[in-house]
Amino acid sequence: NKLRDLPLTLESDYISREQFHLSICNQLKHINQSSGHIVVFGMAGSGKTIAVCQSVRHVVINENCFTPHGCYWIKIGNITNQQLLAILRSLATKLGIINTELIQSLVEINAKIKQFLTGNRNLSNVLFVFDDLWSEEHYNYLTFANKSITTSRFNHARIKNTHICIPAMEELTEDEAIEIFDKRRDHDNHYQLTNNKFVRDVIHSCRGLPLAISIIAGLNLRHDEDWQDVTKIVTKSNLPIELHDYDFNLFSTFKLSVDQLDEHSRQLFRLLGVFKPVQIPLQSIISLWNTEKMMVIALLKKMHRRSLLKLVDGDRPYCILHDLIIDYLHQPVDPQQSLQQYSIILSAKLVDGYAIRCGRKWSTHPHDAYYYRYVLNHAIQADNSAIVQQILNDFKWMRDKFQLDKTICNLCLDISDCIIYLKKMEITSWQQYQQLLELLQRHEFWFQTENIDLLQVLLTLDYKIDWIRQRALELAQENEQHYWKIVRLVHYHKADAVIKPSKCKAIGNSSWIVEAKVAFSNPCYENLRIIGSENTYEENSQIVIMDYKTSEIVNQIPVPYSNTEIVNVKISADGHIVAAEYHYGQWEVYLADNSKILNFMEDDQKLQQPRFTTLEFCPITHNNCNYMLTLCKERKQVKVWRIDRNQICDVNKQFSIKYDVISVEWASNGRQIALWYRNDTSGQHNRSKYADDDSQLNEWQIKVGHEINIEWYTTFIKIDFYIQIWNLQPWQCLKSLQVPSLITKCTHQRGYRSTKDDKDGFYLNRIYYSNNNFECLILMYEKFTGLLLIENSDLEVINYSDNFNTVFHPFVKRCDHVVISDNQQWIAIITRNLYYLLKVINGRIQSYATISCPSKWMTSIYIHDNRYFIYDCGTNLINEYDIQDEQLQWKILDKNGMVNVADSDEEIKDLERFKSTTTSDKIDENEIETIDRSFGYINKIPVQVDLIQIDDICKLEVYNCNKEIGAKESDIVLKQRYSQCFIVEDLQSVIAVGNYHPEQYHPGRYRYGMIIQDTAATRKSNRSFRYFPGRDAYSELVLSVIYRNVDNTLIIIMQE
């Protein structure tokens, strides 16, 4: 079949317009020889689609053009970008492209199809026919086609240089019109058509428009008076409805034909206006009309003869309504009704018809594509929230829809529309459907196989969402098909949808040495400015200040010292003052626009070479002045400075404490200062990071250069941390807080408590303070990072150590860095080179999303409003992300309120502790993290495999799903960490896949380690091997693993 989906144009129904037909055929033959694109444009109803279909059919069948694959016909219409994406995904599937569910944008799908066609020479000569293209923007996403012909109502200016433009012959000649009249009239109608003034008047009155001529031909006029009446009606000047491009009464032409139907047929025909401008299956019309099949077919044939619709017979009959006739049918019969009211009535009639026919058991309705594609849309238009929820609760209906569509994308779009509708109606059930949508979107890539059962997937991928699990179990028990049992829950994060950068901009010229950090001004004042560095350690090293909006370099400040590292850079809120730290805490402060150095003034005296451990600009200005704070080199004095004109002035806002300050920073609102310290006076802890085992302790001794007192160290790490909050105006200490330096898990309840036992405790590494909309601490412990909301209290010191398990709410494991937005709506975290964005509402983390980063050398993060910036020091690029991007998929926290973070791929060395544990029952359930899950048949037995991690140990658990719940067949400890697992049915084995880094690590070269386990036995065929795909073939995501028995080959399919 070379004419894929090309509409039929039977000679009994249509004429061939020779000149128009020849013009299109000649251009088609021309692009067949080379390549090119054709656009046939003209007003609606001018016969563009018919002429193109006739011409394509002729050159493909009779001229043997576009061999060997012929053409693909694609109906576009007046659609959104999201709808076009669904259409192109469907086309990609027809072409043979797999994993289209992973594609989330039009740019990607266009590139994917183009790449596929380029790599398949047999398809390079295929012709794509795009029918009724409205949006000029959509041409950008159809460039994959090497050869194409498009029909459009519009002659867009931008395509004139890239397309061969053929104007439609909008007016039929008298001979062509008479030929159509002759085709449609009854055999007993011998009215003289040629050389007839009245016939000629009718043709001229409707401007020879093919659609109007066809409708009039269906009237079967027999007398002069009949033709004269038609002319009067068509030429009426008082048009009830204004139609663009038509200066005659086209809708009255339609009305003439409709009025000739009997009253009952007329009412039924008007109901057809409910349908979209697509193929309408016979089954949907039967449901709408609530009429017997034979009667429906007879009525449709009558309407076909009148050219009111086109009926296509066959195994699955369907009809097509012209867009203009659908527009006519949208007009209310009652002039008192609005278009919206009439649309609701029509949709309600169709939905009620569907409900009556299937008895509200939605999966039992006779299968037709229109029903499954649009029933939810019509239920929303009918404002029938009850039916919307009934269908969304019918997983069998969803299963059948998926099997009919052969993609999960359309179902996800429908559920998304329903969620928007239910939220608008303030129906709370939208939240549970949001859970279902997130579940399906997270596992879109699983729905690649046509015969996969959606109900089975919902049973297997249960996320402890009660209503989904319960409904799936009920339907599974009703169904005669055998379903596997649920063995255990899975926290699955493979192929998370991620947002990609919307902009990338370079900061200066990067040398081979990785550059220092960057800093951002506050965009609330002027254009966003960014400060960075380039050529560190070289003679021409300098500070670079860039205007982010224009990408222009504002200034380049040479480093005053040769061969000096630029350790850190800072920029003021308004972007006019910058600071750079050189060796040994030496800071220089400059005017950003002219490089002038600003001096620190104290008691009207210039400070000579002041050194600070910390220098921070205030995130806002006060009375148009910039402020900054410093922490002295000895860590015991904090001071606030005002930048006044061309100098830095002491404002007598300072304090000193006898303890070493670990860190000091501005609060997010710019009106308070937060510092934290331990009340220890030994002064030794500022020399190095805190050690947590003997090996690190020995390393610390070497770095410090002398031995430390072990007794002091053991005591020191148990001392609690104190946080002081100081107010800028008036200058005073607002509150003091106490938090534990060591925490451990609670024994008999969830949460963590303070402890003094350093063997099992987790150390506090970092504290973040924020106080814009609510006041909170983010505490970064050794293995957990959590949120602590600060309460109002009159106590001199608010001690959280005693009730820590009730106030500390961990939200992520093993966090490396945290950034809180100024408005406290977002928290960004980095963990194991993975980036997550957390949404915060009323002081509670509600959901999170994954951010895609081009490399693993990210050093700086900044969030302002809905813009999220990450600096990649490896490429010297600023990557900007739009937090409101519709592609960003928000996921709910797990049952413990945690972000489900993927594990890194470092090699595991400690196996003994795990091997000593014989059953997973001895391990706390919270310590078990399911990384991946796979299911399949081995020797016709349904098998489920869980790839799990307990602390730092990775293993495979294999279950026989025919046996009782929890029947474990084997338990395999893996010698390295893996990220995915697959059941390969033909090989009857389990494949675990993960990244492997050799001992001599070379950047850019990655290796895959795999272990194969025969699931039918226990462990006797356990073997492992390593695969080296090379740098170009590297991918962190394996889509599937296939075994080819013919040559004993294991095929690994990876995402590009």
Side-chain angles (χ1 to χ4, degrees), residues 653-665:
K653 297 180 187 296
Q654 64 184 31
F655 57 86
S656 301
I657 60 175
K658 61 182 179 180
Y659 311 113
D660 287 4
V661 175
I662 298 172
S663 179
V664 60
E665 60 190 22

Side-chain angles (χ1 to χ4, degrees), residues 442 445 492-498 836 848 850 889 891 900:
R442 194 173 303 176
F445 71 97
Y492 194 78
H493 48 249
K494 183 165 63 174
D496 280 343
V498 295
Y836 297 89
Y848 69 97
T850 308
Q889 296 183 6
K891 293 162 282 189
N900 191 10

Side-chain angles (χ1 to χ4, degrees), residues 725 735 737 769 775-777 788-792 798 800:
I725 311 300
K735 63 185 67 176
L737 314 169
Y769 173 74
E775 195 175 14
C776 71
L777 297 175
L788 188 153
L789 295 178
I790 299 174
E791 60 189 18
N792 293 322
I798 306 174
Y800 289 109

Side-chain angles (χ1 to χ4, degrees), residues 484 935-945 958-960 962 982-990 1013-1017:
W484 310 340
F935 55 92
Y937 282 93
I938 302 293
N939 295 326
K940 299 182 179 180
I941 298 173
V943 171
Q944 175 176 308
V945 177
V958 184
Y959 296 87
N960 184 332
N962 267 348
F982 301 88
I983 291 179
V984 184
E985 299 181 18
D986 293 336
L987 192 59
Q988 299 185 7
S989 299
V990 178
Q1013 166 69 31
D1014 187 344
T1015 56

Side-chain angles (χ1 to χ4, degrees), residues 300-552:
L300 291 176
K301 285 182 177 179
K302 182 194 299 185
M303 296 168 187
H304 174 87
R305 286 194 297 271
R306 294 184 173 279
S307 297
L308 292 172
L309 53 79
K310 177 183 175 183
L311 177 63
V312 179
D313 244 333
D315 296 336
R316 294 188 176 181
Y318 64 89
C319 73
I320 300 174
L321 289 166
H322 196 282
D323 293 359
L324 290 174
I325 293 181
I326 292 179
D327 291 343
Y328 166 74
L329 294 176
H330 284 169
Q331 307 307 312
V333 178
D334 184 353
Q336 301 301 318
Q337 287 179 335
S338 66
L339 289 173
Q340 184 178 2
Q341 290 172 331
Y342 189 57
S343 175
I344 292 174
I345 292 171
L346 288 177
S347 288
K349 183 70 175 176
L350 177 60
V351 171
D352 289 345
Y354 284 142
I356 292 170
R357 192 161 183 211
C358 69
R360 294 183 181 266
K361 295 181 179 179
W362 302 97
S363 62
T364 64
H365 188 277
H367 284 205
D368 78 54
Y370 190 93
Y371 167 73
Y372 282 99
R373 178 66 186 90
Y374 295 108
V375 62
L376 277 171
N377 181 271
H378 285 295
I380 292 172
Q381 288 183 345
D383 197 16
N384 195 326
S385 59
I387 285 183
V388 168
Q389 294 175 87
Q390 285 176 15
I391 298 175
L392 289 180
N393 287 331
D394 192 337
F395 290 171
K396 285 185 179 179
W397 177 87
M398 292 186 184
R399 175 197 62 194
D400 294 343
K401 174 181 173 62
F402 163 69
Q403 291 174 345
L404 192 68
D405 290 345
K406 296 181 175 58
T407 175
I408 203 68
C409 303
N410 294 336
L411 177 59
C412 290
L413 287 174
D414 283 351
I415 297 175
S416 180
D417 289 341
C418 293
I419 291 170
I420 294 171
Y421 165 71
L422 293 173
K423 286 176 72 173
K424 182 180 178 181
M425 300 300 295
E426 299 183 351
I427 298 174
T428 57
S429 62
W430 71 265
Q431 297 174 347
Q432 67 182 38
Y433 303 126
Q434 182 70 37
Q435 293 174 328
L436 175 63
L437 177 62
E438 290 172 357
L439 185 67
L440 295 177
Q441 288 177 332
R442 194 173 303 176
H443 302 283
E444 275 187 339
F445 71 97
W446 267 25
F447 300 96
Q448 306 166 19
T449 310
E450 295 182 12
N451 59 356
I452 196 168
D453 193 314
L454 177 63
L455 189 54
Q456 177 62 71
V457 174
L458 292 175
L459 285 170
T460 308
L461 292 182
D462 171 47
Y463 267 73
K464 213 168 189 180
I465 303 173
D466 291 337
W467 80 273
I468 294 179
R469 181 177 67 253
Q470 187 61 34
R471 188 65 187 134
L473 285 172
E474 291 173 1
L475 294 175
Q477 292 169 358
E478 295 173 8
N479 202 310
E480 295 179 357
Q481 181 178 345
H482 174 68
Y483 287 97
W484 310 340
K485 297 176 182 177
I486 298 177
V487 175
R488 61 189 295 160
L489 302 179
V490 57
H491 304 296
Y492 194 78
H493 48 249
K494 183 165 63 174
D496 280 343
V498 295
I499 181 175
K500 297 181 180 180
S502 58
K503 296 179 183 177
C504 291
K505 295 190 178 183
I507 306 296
N509 299 312
S510 177
S511 66
W512 67 274
I513 297 177
V514 175
E515 301 297 343
K517 296 179 181 179
V518 299
F520 302 79
S521 67
N522 190 335
C524 292
Y525 294 97
E526 295 183 17
N527 285 352
L528 174 64
R529 284 185 172 185
I530 302 175
I531 180 175
S533 64
E534 65 179 15
N535 305 325
T536 299
Y537 284 119
E538 298 181 9
E539 291 184 1
N540 60 342
S541 61
Q542 57 187 353
I543 301 162
V544 180
I545 306 161
M546 186 184 81
D547 186 307
Y548 183 76
K549 183 177 181 180
T550 63
S551 298
E552 294 180 355

Side-chain angles (χ1 to χ4, degrees), residues 21 115 263 362 658 695 1056:
H21 173 73
Q115 181 186 40
E263 179 64 25
W362 302 97
K658 61 182 179 180
S695 62
E1056 291 183 334

Side-chain angles (χ1 to χ4, degrees), residues 184-210:
R184 295 299 172 88
R185 64 177 175 176
D186 295 340
H187 296 297
D188 60 346
N189 186 350
H190 304 294
Y191 183 77
Q192 178 67 33
L193 295 173
T194 57
N195 299 322
N196 189 314
K197 176 185 181 303
F198 304 119
V199 174
R200 190 180 302 114
D201 290 344
V202 168
I203 296 171
H204 292 163
S205 67
C206 61
R207 307 298 184 265
L209 188 71

Side-chain angles (χ1 to χ4, degrees), residues 273-288:
V274 71
F275 291 112
K276 312 290 181 184
V278 296
Q279 294 180 1
I280 309 167
L282 180 66
Q283 297 296 342
S284 282
I285 300 175
I286 292 173
S287 297
L288 174 67

